[in-house]
Amino acid sequence: MRPGPSNLGPFDPGYADLPQELPIFPLTNALLLPGGRLPLNVFEPRYLAMVRAALQSPDRLIGMVQPIDANADRNLQADHRPAVHQVGCAGRIVSFEETPDGRYQLILSGLIRFRISHELPMAKGGYRRIVPNYQPFAHDMAEHEFQLADRPRFLAILQEYLKTRQARLDWKGIEEVADDELVVAMAQMSPLDPEEKQSLLECPDLDAVVEMMVALFEVHGVTSGGEHRLH
């Protein structure tokens, strides 16, 4: 799914170097795709411990997953382990900042999706760990060429959808954004429901992501009473 020719940077691990254990961060409505960027505000003790451990590892990877029950992650009890979707995305910490009130502000860069093989005992810091199976998504780290078949139509449908959700987007400079970066960013930023975001995550490639996004945007436009004039 990784957009465009491989965007792997000099600090990204290769496929053969991916870790066999991965900490997971269950977070409702947080979508991270390969090639995308996800800002995080971390304040719970168990996830502060997770970040510290990740920063000490060679790859600095964290697995983003969604709980099956929306907002189950809001239960802050240390022993709470909500059931999570089996497909997530590993993101590498590319930026972090310590705040005066004891939080970490991170940016994760999406590297590769994974399927949970099984869960490991909880780490000493209280965060969860899994054994990931990257093999079904090995193509996420391969080189791909991608181009929107009809970029103006995609943007028109996106704009109409955002109007129905009373969401705003800064359209300045959007014409200069490459097709692949545009699709990944809009998939992550759009105010879709958690299950819809999970469906996007599990799409086989960016073409399928676009197809599903257009279908979701159009359905939301119709159900919200919007009259489409795009066909």
Side-chain angles (χ1 to χ4, degrees), residues 59-89:
D59 47 74
R60 299 193 299 187
L61 291 181
I62 292 173
M64 294 303 302
V65 295
Q66 285 203 101
I68 292 176
D69 293 331
N71 298 318
D73 50 292
R74 292 186 178 179
N75 186 329
L76 303 185
Q77 294 181 2
D79 59 348
H80 182 57
R81 298 172 64 148
V84 296
H85 286 284
Q86 293 302 291
V87 174
C89 184

Side-chain angles (χ1 to χ4, degrees), residues 3 6-7 31 49 52 57 76 120 143 162 177 186 191 196 229:
S6 178
N7 288 331
L31 174 62
R52 285 192 289 269
S57 68
L76 303 185
L120 297 167
E143 295 187 4
L162 292 176
V177 178
M186 291 303 99
E196 293 169 338
R229 298 174 294 278

Side-chain angles (χ1 to χ4, degrees), residues 43 48 73 77 82 122 132 136 140 183 203 213 217 229:
F43 56 88
L48 293 173
D73 50 292
Q77 294 181 2
M122 198 173 288
D140 285 352
V183 170
C203 284
M213 286 175 70
F217 292 163
R229 298 174 294 278

Side-chain angles (χ1 to χ4, degrees), residues 158-173:
L158 170 65
Q159 191 168 25
E160 183 128 334
Y161 163 71
L162 292 176
K163 287 180 182 178
T164 67
R165 302 300 288 262
Q166 297 183 332
R168 293 184 178 181
L169 179 67
D170 184 2
W171 294 93
K172 293 181 181 178

Side-chain angles (χ1 to χ4, degrees), residues 101-121:
D101 58 353
R103 293 174 291 116
Y104 285 133
Q105 293 181 332
L106 311 177
I107 295 179
L108 292 185
S109 176
L111 185 65
I112 184 173
R113 292 171 292 169
F114 60 85
R115 183 173 292 277
I116 297 176
S117 292
H118 62 274
E119 188 159 350
L120 297 167

Side-chain angles (χ1 to χ4, degrees), residues 143-201:
E143 295 187 4
H144 301 285
E145 295 291 343
F146 174 78
Q147 187 173 5
L148 279 166
D150 191 342
R151 181 177 173 125
R153 178 174 179 268
F154 177 78
L155 289 175
I157 294 173
L158 170 65
Q159 191 168 25
E160 183 128 334
Y161 163 71
L162 292 176
K163 287 180 182 178
T164 67
R165 302 300 288 262
Q166 297 183 332
R168 293 184 178 181
L169 179 67
D170 184 2
W171 294 93
K172 293 181 181 178
I174 203 166
E175 291 302 324
E176 285 135 23
V177 178
D179 285 356
D180 43 28
E181 296 174 359
L182 174 67
V183 170
V184 169
M186 291 303 99
Q188 292 190 181
M189 294 168 55
S190 295
L192 296 165
D193 297 334
E195 287 298 326
E196 293 169 338
K197 289 195 172 185
Q198 186 65 31
S199 296
L200 291 177
L201 178 66

